[in-house]
Amino acid sequence: VDVNSLTNGGAAVVSPTEESVAEITVLSGSYSAEDGGNSGAQIKVISKTGTNRLHGGAFFKYDEPGLNAYNTFGGFGGNFTRAPNVRVDNKVRNYGGSVGGPIIKDKVFFFFAYEGEHVFNQNFGINYVETPQFIQAVTAANPNGIAAKILAAPGTAPRVVAVLTPSCSDVNRPATDSKGNPTCAVVGGGLDLGSPFPAGTGPGNPYLRLFTPEVGGAFVGNGLDGIPDVELAQLAYPNHRTGDQYNARVDWNISSKHTLSASTYLTNSNSINPPGTDQTSAPNREITNKPFSPAGTILWNWVISPTKLNEVRLNFSRFAFNEVASNKGIVNWGIPDAEIQDVFTSGRRIWFGAPQGENTPGILAQNTYGFGDTFSWALPKHALKFGFQYRKEQNNNNEVGFARPLYTFSQLWNFANDAPIFEQNAVNPNTGNPDAAQRYFRTNYYGGFAQDDWKFRSNLTLNIGLRYEYYSPVSEPQGLLSNLLLAGSGPSAIANATVITGKTVYSTPKTNFAPRFGFAWSPDKYNQKIVFRGGFGMYYNGVPEAVLDPARENPPFHAFEANCCGTSGLEGFGGPYDPTCGPAHNMPCIIYSLGSSDSPL
């Protein structure tokens, strides 16, 4: 049965615990028509069953930070090389076991396996982060501003392990203004980079000039005030994961002719995924992911006669998680992804809020249903097989992540003034509202084969077969698919192209016949010490659904917008400008706000 992921390439939805595996076969190149679905390797796993004797086993693996050495290469590259040495902080517990035996002797057997994993790893990174004094100054200057609300949100404080020695050489600005006044000072273990203007005051209200080092520019805002605004810190990035897998199987010998088997794998995990070590680490920037992957199989073997066997297989597998639900009370999705740029020579930024991403948060649901029937017939010189396979795939992913906006600010004091220069998010072009690209993709697979393993001579076996496969095009029952139809060829092909929409917007071939031929020959003169093997085969690969997933974001149902730069037109910023906003109306072109709830929509 098939347990491949719909969107993650060749990855499997189920990775069986080692205690449940009886046998693994890897076919790098199969010339049997029985094997299809792709032209690459076939990896087949046979799970364990119970027997008439009670049997079992267990294992335990242990990794502890106290057993690890320190990393002598503590530097971080770039300008931030003042890093202390850190220990490899891996803490892993992996354990499991299995037990199998009879329920009714010679008739009914059971097998159960379990594996658990507890990972408490931690990485370290070095970045400049805001100081408590900066938070106090921004809040005092504009207590009702968005910046003050973001800085006061639970989980915003960065995970500081140690405060390191800062340097004004790390800052991207002139050392002095035109009057010789410094634009940066080392103060109290951090850097004084200026101060905010009280709400409603200051030049350019709310935008400050980018490249003006004097008071009133974005570099220093209202001028240096003798308090540290940022500090160089070693940050902790927790990488915690717990998981469990349960495997249960029951086999029933109904009679000498009929055997029924039922098996299931239930896999769940709970992981904390921090941002990369080049970004700010804080509790409300760490995403909790709780996927659940059930898979179930029913097998029915019918011994028709001593030479005939029919095998029926039914299976179901699922991969799903909802990061909106799993982060309830942990991450406030109503806070946008806000980043402050242009501050440091390294190009690194200061971040607030959870990172924006296509599936951050992700609401994924992928189901696969399968059916297969194989008939085998053993003759004196022929081993015949005929079979049919059907697979139905459902991808109900909801890419809600880009519906939540990202805002970019130039320098600290434009952030304090709630004045972003850039915004991006996904919208429905028909309404302008945020769009989650919810789609219900459906695909079907049909495969049939006939195979003859022919003992042509005592030292020569021929494998002759034919396989047929059909991969249906992706369909969407709501008709929310679109495709670009080029107008012929040449320079005007795109200019004159049209967009077609519907439940499916392309076709797939229906003539996928795949002949197979293989042989194994052991010449008599080598006394069965050498075997020559070879073969020929045609194979058809379906287009992976991961390739088609971006179709969710096609117009006219979905668009990705990026607005820059909604400012008052002061130096360092570009147009264009909406006539309803700008300096004449004292209103930026980018509408900057918090969400009305902790939902990403």
Side-chain angles (χ1 to χ4, degrees):
V1 297
D2 187 352
V3 294
N4 288 331
S5 167
L6 301 188
T7 55
N8 291 329
V13 173
V14 177
S15 297
T17 171
E18 62 190 65
E19 284 293 302
S20 71
V21 175
E23 179 183 319
I24 294 180
T25 303
V26 179
L27 301 175
S28 59
S30 175
Y31 297 111
S32 173
E34 184 177 5
D35 297 322
N38 64 73
S39 59
Q42 298 279 342
I43 302 174
K44 303 180 180 182
V45 180
I46 299 176
S47 61
K48 290 181 180 178
T49 66
T51 65
N52 273 328
R53 297 183 62 184
L54 191 67
H55 63 280
F59 68 91
F60 180 72
K61 302 174 184 177
Y62 182 89
D63 188 6
E64 179 68 24
L67 301 175
N68 298 328
Y70 280 91
N71 180 2
T72 58
F73 301 97
F76 230 76
N79 287 8
F80 306 154
T81 58
R82 302 173 290 279
N85 295 337
V86 296
R87 188 194 298 272
V88 177
D89 202 20
N90 291 345
K91 185 176 183 179
V92 181
R93 310 287 187 266
N94 183 215
Y95 47 88
S98 64
V99 61
I103 298 176
I104 301 175
K105 188 176 180 180
D106 295 328
K107 295 290 290 184
V108 183
F109 312 93
F110 80 94
F111 181 84
F112 176 80
Y114 166 80
E115 181 173 352
E117 182 181 50
H118 285 209
V119 178
F120 297 95
N121 295 344
Q122 188 164 246
N123 296 322
F124 298 92
I126 295 178
N127 287 287
Y128 276 98
V129 296
E130 74 280 5
T131 63
Q133 295 92 327
F134 172 81
I135 297 174
Q136 293 170 5
V138 171
T139 303
N142 191 2
N144 296 319
I146 296 174
K149 295 176 182 178
I150 290 177
L151 294 171
T156 299
R159 293 185 180 274
V160 176
V161 177
V163 177
L164 310 178
T165 304
S167 172
C168 284
S169 64
D170 295 334
V171 180
N172 181 30
R173 62 180 56 186
T176 62
D177 63 18
S178 60
K179 298 178 181 179
N181 299 313
T183 60
C184 172
V186 178
V187 178
L191 299 180
D192 179 7
L193 300 181
S195 60
F197 285 96
T201 69
N205 177 34
Y207 287 90
L208 304 176
R209 294 177 181 268
L210 249 190
F211 304 116
T212 303
E214 281 80 12
V215 170
F219 286 136
V220 297
N222 203 18
L224 302 188
D225 57 0
I227 66 170
D229 299 302
V230 297
E231 60 187 9
L232 184 63
Q234 183 184 44
L235 304 178
Y237 296 78
N239 184 10
H240 299 171
R241 181 177 70 255
T242 61
D244 302 281
Q245 184 183 90
Y246 305 88
N247 166 232
R249 174 168 174 162
V250 175
D251 294 89
W252 178 20
N253 292 335
I254 302 173
S255 67
S256 61
K257 292 184 175 294
H258 297 280
T259 301
L260 190 66
S261 302
S263 176
T264 184
Y265 283 91
L266 304 176
T267 307
N268 66 76
S269 67
N270 184 342
S271 62
I272 296 176
N273 302 301
T277 55
D278 62 336
Q279 299 185 25
T280 303
S281 173
N284 67 2
R285 287 179 54 77
E286 299 159 359
I287 312 304
T288 298
N289 180 260
K290 296 182 178 181
F292 177 58
S293 300
T297 301
I298 295 177
L299 309 175
W300 171 38
N301 291 341
W302 174 23
V303 180
I304 302 172
S305 73
T307 60
K308 298 183 181 68
L309 170 67
N310 193 75
E311 304 166 277
V312 177
R313 290 173 167 83
L314 295 169
N315 79 293
F316 166 78
S317 62
R318 175 178 172 84
F319 177 78
F321 61 78
N322 185 330
E323 289 181 340
V324 175
S326 63
N327 287 277
K328 191 73 174 178
I330 303 173
V331 175
N332 185 347
W333 302 108
I335 297 176
D337 184 358
E339 56 183 28
I340 306 173
Q341 68 178 20
D342 301 329
V343 181
F344 305 108
T345 56
S346 66
R348 293 196 179 184
R349 306 182 179 195
I350 297 176
W351 284 266
F352 302 98
Q356 185 202 54
E358 186 174 59
N359 287 310
T360 305
I363 305 177
L364 274 61
Q366 303 165 12
N367 303 316
T368 299
Y369 303 86
F371 169 79
D373 190 317
T374 301
F375 172 74
S376 303
W377 187 8
L379 298 172
K381 290 191 175 184
H382 297 267
L384 302 177
K385 274 191 176 183
F386 307 91
F388 171 78
Q389 294 170 322
Y390 169 74
R391 183 171 66 245
K392 183 177 183 62
E393 300 173 341
Q394 299 176 337
N395 183 341
N396 301 327
N397 290 356
N398 184 348
E399 295 179 351
V400 70
F402 277 142
R404 172 175 158 267
L406 173 146
Y407 294 100
T408 302
F409 303 82
S410 181
Q411 301 289 345
L412 292 172
W413 312 115
N414 275 321
F415 169 74
N417 282 4
D418 297 338
I421 65 166
F422 177 79
E423 174 195 17
Q424 71 176 23
N425 72 320
V427 298
N428 183 325
N430 297 311
T431 65
N433 294 327
D435 186 62
Q438 173 74 76
R439 303 290 184 267
Y440 300 92
F441 287 172
R442 301 291 183 265
T443 54
N444 296 300
Y445 167 80
Y446 302 86
F449 72 92
Q451 176 72 29
D452 181 9
D453 295 329
W454 180 13
K455 194 73 170 179
F456 185 74
R457 294 173 55 183
S458 61
N459 62 347
L460 176 61
T461 299
L462 303 179
N463 313 106
I464 304 170
L466 179 66
R467 186 175 183 87
Y468 173 79
E469 296 178 318
Y470 173 67
Y471 302 87
S472 75
V474 170
S475 63
E476 209 286 334
Q478 301 179 108
L480 297 178
L481 283 178
S482 62
N483 199 4
L484 185 68
L485 187 63
L486 299 180
S489 60
S492 62
I494 295 180
N496 298 326
T498 57
V499 174
I500 58 174
T501 62
K503 294 183 178 181
T504 185
V505 290
Y506 69 99
S507 60
T508 56
K510 298 180 180 180
T511 56
N512 298 337
F513 290 96
R516 307 287 174 84
F517 173 77
F519 69 89
W521 177 41
S522 179
D524 292 336
K525 66 178 180 178
Y526 296 116
N527 298 319
Q528 298 183 347
K529 293 182 178 180
I530 295 180
V531 178
F532 295 93
R533 302 180 189 274
F536 165 83
M538 290 182 62
Y539 306 84
Y540 291 92
N541 293 317
V543 177
E545 196 169 300
V547 176
L548 301 171
D549 245 17
R552 300 170 181 274
E553 301 162 12
N554 283 351
F557 309 112
H558 185 91
F560 192 76
E561 66 168 358
N563 298 318
C564 185
C565 301
T567 72
S568 57
L570 298 176
E571 65 166 302
F573 300 95
Y577 303 102
D578 189 312
T580 61
C581 61
H585 299 270
N586 196 31
M587 183 175 121
C589 295
I590 294 176
I591 305 302
Y592 175 49
S593 66
L594 298 176
S596 58
S597 69
D598 62 355
S599 170
L601 276 175

